[in-house]
Amino acid sequence: MSELLTLQQAIHAFDEAAADGDGWDRYAWVYLRGDITQASCRLFLSHAGDEDEAFDDHAGEPMPAFAARHGLRHFLEAHDFAEVLAVERRQDPQASQAQIARALSLYRRRGGFVVGED
């Protein structure tokens, strides 16, 4: 079922996938509307194959019809999203949603992790 999620719901979905043993494989892409650091942002977690009936975004990249209909943009590959969650929680097991949002935003802007910087 396709739906728009809050960041908290998306984090919970990744946690459930990890608990089921397929946390890195259940989802393919994370699509976003808004700014990840804002409570108003909405996310869509696509599954492998969702791009089979894809539309092209403004840059010519395929995206699921659901994401296109809701004006979403590519944010991160799902395994990158899951890795940022894991790294942030290793650094701070009690990481808040705001901390996770900042880590996701930083990862997205820099195109990866930067060693030795906050």
Side-chain angles (χ1 to χ4, degrees):
M1 179 163 125
S2 298
E3 62 183 301
L4 294 175
L5 306 172
T6 64
L7 176 57
Q8 185 62 40
Q9 290 169 321
I11 291 168
H12 181 71
F14 273 92
D15 288 345
E16 280 185 346
D20 292 344
D22 63 350
W24 293 76
D25 299 323
R26 184 174 293 180
Y27 304 109
W29 273 93
V30 177
Y31 294 88
L32 176 74
R33 180 173 62 206
D35 183 328
I36 193 69
T37 62
Q38 300 297 312
S40 61
C41 81
R42 292 296 176 262
L43 299 101
F44 168 62
L45 309 178
S46 73
H47 294 84
D50 282 350
E51 282 81 15
D52 290 347
E53 295 180 20
F55 291 86
D56 287 347
D57 69 4
H58 68 284
E61 293 290 324
M63 67 182 341
F66 180 86
R69 274 195 315 275
H70 290 278
L72 306 177
R73 60 183 167 82
H74 288 91
F75 181 60
L76 289 173
E77 287 188 61
H79 71 270
D80 290 334
F81 190 98
E83 186 169 346
V84 171
L85 287 176
V87 168
E88 190 63 24
R89 287 175 169 163
R90 260 195 315 270
Q91 292 176 350
D92 180 358
Q94 301 302 316
S96 69
Q97 182 176 317
Q99 286 173 284
I100 292 170
R102 282 190 302 274
L104 289 163
S105 178
L106 187 61
Y107 183 92
R108 171 80 164 116
R109 281 195 323 267
R110 294 188 174 170
F113 294 108
V114 177
V115 178
E117 291 187 22
D118 292 85

